[in-house]
Amino acid sequence: MVRAAATGLATAFFRLYLLEGLASGPARPAALLAAIAAERLPFASGAFGRALQSLIEGGYIAPAAAAMVCLSALGAAERMAERERWSAMLPTLRRLLGDAEARPFPLVAETAPPRAQPVAEAYLDRVLVASVRERIAAARDGGPSFAVVLAQLDVDGVVEANRRAMVHRAIRATLGATATLFGGDVSAYRYGESGVAALAPVGRDVARGERLAALVRARLDELVRTMTSTVRVFGAARWSVRAGAATWSDSMQTSTVLLRTAEAALAADGERRDAA
């Protein structure tokens, strides 16, 4: 006897269940699995994971905040196609099994996800702040002064899944080519959900921070421009890139002062571009 869980039926059913479960908004996969487990269907839970993986690989589901997933535009279309397939099959299934009453929907209590700290603040409090503090300590011991560059990429005009994909691609490409594009002495970090931070020694070149900000801004703009011209679903995107720099000096007593100065320059650059 072949168990239903060992056939493609289980995976096909879980695909439909995931698409339907995410139609009302983002959800955590674990919560969806708990809800369907309460139905006590003769399917092994491994099929749920296969269905989830196939939907992610196909671009029907995209990551969302707080460890959730959501439907992409492609997923919404696939949901309608899946509904049509199962609707066409149901009359035959009812004839084979006889009319049966629908079982009530099980109630599954779900705890709210913990309130996450904003991503940008999380990075400022950990990776970036630690690196800045190390460089400040080295500069006070006679090492070179350094500049902090913060850049932010803002994209709209496309669905959320495509916006996130564009931002993440641009950031990964920028971080992966830091030494080649900006110099071997530059360290780059992810800054928040849609930004890049770079640290570079300045020595006697007091204008290096501003030049590095211009390079990072141009790099992000080039990457997004290339995506909009080569990927059809990104073609309608509108975007803007902001960048600001701050150079450490003895007057800046703490890393917080230096980072807030760079943030102020970032905000000022955005205001200038909005005015233009």
Side-chain angles (χ1 to χ4, degrees):
M1 177 179 178
V2 179
R3 293 179 59 202
T7 70
L9 175 61
T11 302
F13 174 79
F14 282 127
R15 280 175 60 93
L16 173 68
Y17 182 81
L18 282 163
L19 293 171
E20 282 295 318
L22 296 173
S24 58
R28 289 181 293 171
L32 293 171
L33 179 57
I36 193 60
E39 299 272 9
R40 300 184 181 277
L41 299 175
F43 297 146
S45 59
F48 182 91
R50 291 193 295 272
L52 179 63
Q53 185 66 28
S54 69
L55 290 173
I56 292 175
E57 291 177 351
Y60 304 114
I61 291 179
M68 296 184 179
V69 292
C70 64
L71 280 184
S72 65
L74 193 60
E78 179 66 10
R79 169 177 169 264
M80 299 306 299
E82 285 284 352
R83 288 176 62 90
E84 291 177 1
R85 297 184 192 108
W86 285 86
S87 296
M89 176 268 297
L90 279 177
T92 300
L93 185 60
R94 289 195 186 100
R95 186 179 69 248
L96 292 173
L97 301 179
D99 292 334
E101 295 182 1
R103 70 173 64 179
F105 192 87
L107 298 178
V108 178
E110 178 186 0
T111 58
R115 184 178 181 275
Q117 185 183 17
V119 180
E121 291 299 325
Y123 273 90
L124 283 175
D125 288 344
R126 286 181 282 178
V127 181
L128 186 55
V129 165
S131 299
V132 169
R133 285 174 177 168
E134 290 178 2
R135 289 183 180 251
I136 289 177
R140 286 174 175 166
D141 288 339
S145 180
F146 67 98
V148 176
V149 172
L150 302 179
Q152 201 83 27
L153 172 61
D154 300 310
V155 178
D156 60 13
V158 292
V159 298
E160 177 63 15
N162 291 340
R163 184 197 70 81
R164 291 172 64 89
M166 294 179 70
V167 169
H168 290 236
R169 284 188 186 185
I171 290 175
R172 285 197 303 269
T174 301
L175 297 180
T178 298
T180 302
L181 296 170
F182 309 132
D185 57 351
V186 177
S187 300
Y189 309 87
R190 182 159 184 164
Y191 170 65
E193 185 184 359
S194 58
V196 173
L199 305 180
V202 298
R204 297 180 180 179
D205 185 6
V206 295
R208 187 180 186 189
E210 295 300 329
R211 290 204 306 274
L212 182 58
L215 283 173
V216 175
R217 186 190 302 115
R219 172 61 174 171
L220 290 171
D221 182 78
E222 176 191 19
L223 288 167
V224 179
R225 192 177 303 277
T226 300
M227 280 187 274
T228 57
S229 61
T230 57
V231 182
R232 182 171 57 84
V233 295
F234 297 160
R238 300 184 301 272
W239 74 95
S240 65
V241 184
R242 301 171 287 133
T247 301
W248 180 82
S249 65
D250 292 330
S251 62
M252 297 181 179
Q253 298 298 321
T254 65
S255 58
T256 301
V257 174
L258 177 60
L259 289 168
R260 297 314 178 205
T261 303
E263 286 182 332
L266 176 67
D269 185 56
E271 292 174 358
R272 287 195 299 269
R273 295 181 179 278
D274 290 340

